[in-house]
Amino acid sequence: MCRAGADDGGIEELATEKEAEESHRQDSVNLLTFILLLTLTILTIWLFKHRRVRFLHETGLAMIYGLLVGVILRYGIPSTSYHNKTPPSCTLQAGPVSTVLLNVSGKFFEYTLKGEINLREIHSVEQNDMLRKLTFDPEVFFNILLPPIIFHAGYSLKKRHFFRNLGSIITYAFLGTAISCFIIGNLMYGVVKMMQVLGQLTDKFYYTDCLFFGAIISATDPVTVLAIFNELHADGDLYALLFGESVMNDAVAIVLSSSIVAYQPTGANTHTFDASAFFKSVGIFLGIFSGSFAMGAVTGVVTALISLLHLHCFPLLETALFFLMSWSTFLLAEACGFTGVVAVLFCGITQAHYTCNNLSEESTKRTKQLFEVLHFLAENFIFSYMGLALFTFQKHVFSPIFIFGAFIAIFIGRALNIYPLSFLINLGRRHKIRGNFQHMMMFAGLRGAMAFALAIRDTATYARQMMFTTTLLIVFFTVWVCGGGTTPMLSWLHIRVGVDPDQDLQPCGDSFQVLQGDGAQSEGQSKTKQESAWLFRLWYTFDHNYLKPILTHSGPPLTSTLPACCGPLARCLTSPQAYENHEPLQDNDSDLILNEGDLTLTYGDTAITANGASSSSGPEGSGGNWGVNGKRSDSTSEDALERELDTREHELLSRGTRLVFPMEDHA
């Protein structure tokens, strides 16, 4: 009997080892599947770029390949399940628990909870182990795939156009997302009520579920549109409006969804409206967002201070430290109960503003390329998984009425977001957001990685499973149809392309092109002052004089900006390299602040500033200020330039991001 017991134990150990080896092999095959998907996507992208194909973006291509592989895995691989017996029954008074210990023949085994199973699927739960393992843990998306995507958005932000349109971007991102959320939520609640009347609902679907769906589906991700904009060099301010809205909108959507989940009215019915619970959710929203913002900014500042150490002699260590500090921001915010998406976004903006000035040239290139590659791979991985999940996810709930109603609600919510807010924004903007820009913003409201990640994070209930399936189909439609129609839409709306958004001044024959403002319509007078908010001007002055000298090796020493009584403190806080650095501050934000003498036009050998002053490189130009008509001018105001240009019957053309001053008729 002892020998038989030993033989049985040896057989069990061999079976366990064999099962572990089989599991390891399947995990390797799963990862290999995704790597091959990405490889195939990259090769096809190269072919598309070589052939200048723009009707399908790389994300849409990744989704198509994911769909094809999902079909093969779903219907082309035989079942390998061995769970065909009726499961044993167990009664727990306290309900399901996360961990269960079972005594099997004197040995204790631990089992973890994976979720509830429908009775009709009780014999096919693991009919294919590969399909089951291909369904990733949702935390993988939030902790591994999302951080590089969001950080890269903040780190590569074009601050010039972003801050130029900051007020509009914040309005669209905060107020627009809230409007879209509540409009979609209320419309979908009407759809749910209609489904109840028609008998199309098989389980509970509450009003808070509808609001939650409105929050997650309001997260826009126009990655396809922005990629085409960048490739075609579309209007810089339109690009900034769409990009800024999508970046900030993702952060608002995730905090808004968390606040809706935290909505808990008092009393027996937890799904009725309660004023105290509502204001509590609003407080949670403000607290989470502000706390996440502060954590991201503080982490970025800490990284900047660490980068002041003499790490530039070791570029590899410098890059590794930068990478780890940036990624830890996301995890730190999540661990503290805040939102990692908001934290890592503002950490990226802070890193680009301060830390990047302290890195060596080699580390600067490395960090930029590193996060660019991680962003590219993570984004395409998510879109590939979307296509795969349509066939490998085993809890889909397809409801044609809910899906059709969701498309209508999203269209109405986007329209009531863009057009009314654009009207209100234009009341306070000197350079208006034109109608064709508004139509393009309406068309470009695609849904993508963030909406998918929020939907897949919780699929435990019937309502959440229906939301996930609907979100997946909405992402497919918007990426393929709206993304593929971007180029024809640009042409149909007469939005100019081929404009370099990063070039302020560019001589063109006898005329001069000047970067200016928000892409306004033709106006009758030139405006040389930058349309920057007074609050940003104050911030720029404070940042340039005090924060940059403390957090970077560049900038004016604090001894020249602080009062004389603060001399010892200024010498203590200023980096020694700041005294030795005679190069100008590496600060692109200075492009945002244009004073009266900051803008210079060159015509022939005469340089004209925006305040009317001019200088000539010829022998006759050394004696004073001259206008474009060759007459001497003593005016130093902005009106002088306008009077001089008016005498030549100039035409002021504001198109996209350029003002064109034709000085001579070459007809």
Side-chain angles (χ1 to χ4, degrees):
M1 292 179 62
C2 293
R3 182 179 299 175
D7 292 341
D8 291 340
I11 293 174
E12 290 180 0
E13 291 180 359
L14 289 175
T16 302
E17 291 179 359
K18 184 178 180 181
E19 185 176 352
E21 183 179 353
E22 180 68 18
S23 177
H24 173 72
R25 187 186 66 83
Q26 288 188 0
D27 290 338
S28 301
V29 171
N30 294 340
L31 292 177
L32 179 62
T33 301
F34 284 105
I35 291 177
L36 292 178
L37 270 175
L38 291 176
T39 304
L40 185 60
T41 301
I42 291 173
L43 291 176
T44 312
I45 291 171
W46 169 81
L47 180 63
F48 277 23
K49 288 184 179 295
H50 183 68
R51 299 293 183 181
R52 299 185 181 274
V53 177
R54 294 193 180 98
F55 68 89
L56 184 64
H57 187 249
E58 57 208 41
T59 54
L61 186 66
M63 294 170 67
I64 292 177
Y65 285 145
L67 283 171
L68 296 177
V69 174
V71 170
I72 295 174
L73 294 178
R74 180 78 176 185
Y75 302 107
I77 297 179
S79 173
T80 59
S81 176
Y82 49 85
H83 297 275
N84 296 318
K85 297 181 180 180
T86 302
S89 299
C90 180
T91 302
L92 295 176
Q93 296 180 355
V97 294
S98 59
T99 304
V100 175
L101 294 177
L102 292 183
N103 186 345
V104 181
S105 302
K107 294 183 178 180
F108 289 92
F109 296 89
E110 180 182 0
Y111 294 85
T112 57
L113 178 67
K114 287 191 174 181
E116 183 180 0
I117 303 299
N118 295 328
L119 291 176
R120 63 179 181 272
E121 300 176 352
I122 201 167
H123 293 294
S124 59
V125 175
E126 296 180 356
Q127 66 175 0
N128 195 312
D129 293 335
M130 181 173 290
L131 289 181
R132 176 176 56 84
K133 289 187 175 182
L134 279 173
T135 304
F136 278 94
D137 186 349
E139 295 304 317
V140 171
F141 289 97
F142 269 82
N143 295 330
I144 298 179
L145 298 178
L146 276 185
I149 295 177
I150 303 300
F151 181 85
H152 179 265
Y155 192 60
S156 62
L157 186 69
K158 294 182 179 179
K159 294 183 290 183
R160 179 184 307 174
H161 294 284
F162 179 83
F163 287 107
R164 186 175 295 178
N165 299 275
L166 183 60
S168 303
I169 290 172
I170 291 178
T171 303
Y172 286 125
F174 284 85
L175 189 57
T177 304
I179 291 174
S180 178
C181 169
F182 284 100
I183 289 177
I184 294 175
N186 284 279
L187 290 177
M188 293 311 299
Y189 187 64
V191 172
V192 168
K193 287 297 183 182
M194 183 178 66
M195 292 174 64
Q196 288 179 344
V197 173
L198 298 177
Q200 296 294 318
L201 280 182
T202 60
D203 209 335
K204 297 177 181 179
F205 208 118
Y206 298 106
Y207 178 67
T208 51
D209 294 325
C210 296
L211 286 180
F212 180 80
F213 177 73
I216 65 174
I217 208 64
S218 295
T220 60
D221 186 17
V223 57
T224 305
V225 176
L226 293 176
I228 295 176
F229 276 20
N230 191 46
E231 184 177 353
L232 297 179
H233 298 291
D235 185 274
D237 292 295
L238 177 60
Y239 182 95
L241 287 172
L242 281 173
F243 179 78
E245 182 207 4
S246 66
V247 170
M248 300 291 293
N249 160 275
D250 287 347
V252 174
I254 191 172
V255 178
L256 191 60
S257 62
S258 301
S259 303
I260 293 173
V261 171
Y263 177 79
Q264 293 293 336
T266 57
N269 193 350
T270 59
H271 294 278
T272 58
F273 178 77
D274 184 89
S276 61
F278 171 77
F279 286 109
K280 181 180 178 181
S281 296
V282 173
I284 291 175
F285 172 84
L286 296 176
I288 291 178
F289 194 92
S290 58
S292 303
F293 164 77
M295 183 167 291
V298 168
T299 308
V301 168
V302 171
T303 309
L305 292 174
I306 294 177
S307 64
L308 288 174
L309 303 175
H310 295 283
L311 294 175
H312 58 274
C313 300
F314 308 97
L316 181 61
L317 299 181
E318 194 176 33
T319 304
L321 184 62
F322 182 92
F323 174 79
L324 294 177
M325 291 292 294
S326 302
W327 202 306
S328 63
T329 304
F330 183 93
L331 301 177
L332 178 62
E334 292 288 334
C336 294
F338 297 110
T339 301
V341 171
V342 180
V344 79
L345 170 65
F346 287 101
C347 176
I349 296 175
T350 308
Q351 301 273 45
H353 191 62
Y354 296 116
T355 312
C356 195
N357 289 281
N358 302 333
L359 300 179
S360 62
E361 183 178 356
E362 184 177 355
S363 296
T364 302
K365 293 180 180 178
R366 280 183 177 179
T367 54
K368 182 179 179 180
Q369 294 173 353
L370 173 63
F371 280 102
E372 189 174 2
V373 170
L374 290 177
H375 163 264
F376 174 81
L377 293 177
E379 191 170 60
N380 282 278
F381 182 92
I382 290 179
F383 279 94
S384 298
Y385 184 76
M386 288 184 196
L388 204 66
L390 188 62
F391 293 98
T392 59
F393 187 74
Q394 299 178 352
K395 298 179 182 179
H396 281 302
V397 178
F398 291 93
S399 175
I401 297 178
F402 190 86
I403 294 171
F404 181 76
F407 275 100
I408 299 298
I410 289 173
F411 178 82
I412 296 175
R414 183 70 177 173
L416 295 180
N417 168 7
I418 295 298
Y419 295 115
L421 289 183
S422 298
F423 173 78
L424 296 177
I425 290 171
N426 283 337
L427 295 178
R429 279 176 67 111
R430 181 191 307 169
H431 302 288
K432 312 301 181 185
I433 301 176
R434 299 193 300 266
N436 57 346
F437 280 18
Q438 297 177 33
H439 299 329
M440 193 67 219
M441 293 179 68
M442 170 72 188
F443 179 80
L446 283 71
R447 271 60 178 179
M450 181 57 68
F452 174 78
L454 289 173
I456 200 176
R457 198 172 192 180
D458 182 6
T459 57
T461 63
Y462 169 82
R464 298 298 175 89
Q465 292 166 8
M466 185 182 295
M467 292 179 202
F468 172 72
T469 303
T470 305
T471 301
L472 201 57
L473 296 178
I474 290 173
V475 172
F476 286 163
F477 178 84
T478 56
V479 170
W480 288 337
V481 177
C482 298
T486 300
T487 303
M489 185 62 67
L490 286 172
S491 177
W492 185 65
L493 293 176
H494 303 290
I495 296 177
R496 203 176 156 194
V497 298
V499 178
D500 186 1
D502 294 325
Q503 188 170 358
D504 283 351
L505 301 175
Q506 177 182 354
C508 182
D510 290 333
S511 63
F512 208 94
Q513 297 181 335
V514 185
L515 183 69
Q516 175 73 14
D518 293 78
Q521 296 175 346
S522 298
E523 300 177 3
Q525 59 179 356
S526 64
K527 293 178 174 64
T528 59
K529 285 200 174 185
Q530 187 63 42
E531 188 170 331
S532 299
W534 64 271
L535 183 61
F536 178 73
R537 289 175 178 267
L538 293 178
W539 160 254
Y540 172 79
T541 303
F542 176 77
D543 175 64
H544 181 271
N545 292 335
Y546 304 109
L547 293 184
K548 275 290 181 72
I550 296 176
L551 300 176
T552 68
H553 292 306
S554 303
L558 288 176
T559 52
S560 62
T561 57
L562 287 177
C565 60
C566 302
L569 179 63
R571 286 189 293 271
C572 178
L573 295 178
T574 303
S575 170
Q577 286 81 359
Y579 297 99
E580 304 171 1
N581 186 12
H582 299 288
E583 298 179 359
L585 178 65
Q586 302 176 19
D587 187 7
N588 294 328
D589 290 347
S590 58
D591 298 333
L592 302 171
I593 309 299
L594 291 183
N595 297 318
E596 292 188 357
D598 290 342
L599 188 59
T600 303
L601 288 75
T602 303
Y603 177 67
D605 56 359
T606 303
I608 312 167
T609 62
N611 59 10
S614 64
S615 60
S616 176
S617 59
E620 298 178 359
S622 59
N625 295 335
W626 293 81
V628 293
N629 56 3
K631 298 180 180 180
R632 194 177 188 87
S633 172
D634 296 327
S635 174
T636 58
S637 66
E638 190 173 339
D639 296 334
L641 176 61
E642 296 179 9
R643 288 194 301 269
E644 297 292 346
L645 294 176
D646 285 338
T647 59
R648 298 298 303 269
E649 297 180 353
H650 77 284
E651 175 189 1
L652 174 60
L653 174 62
S654 175
R655 190 67 192 94
T657 57
R658 291 178 176 178
L659 297 181
V660 183
F661 294 86
M663 300 299 183
E664 194 173 317
D665 187 6
H666 297 280

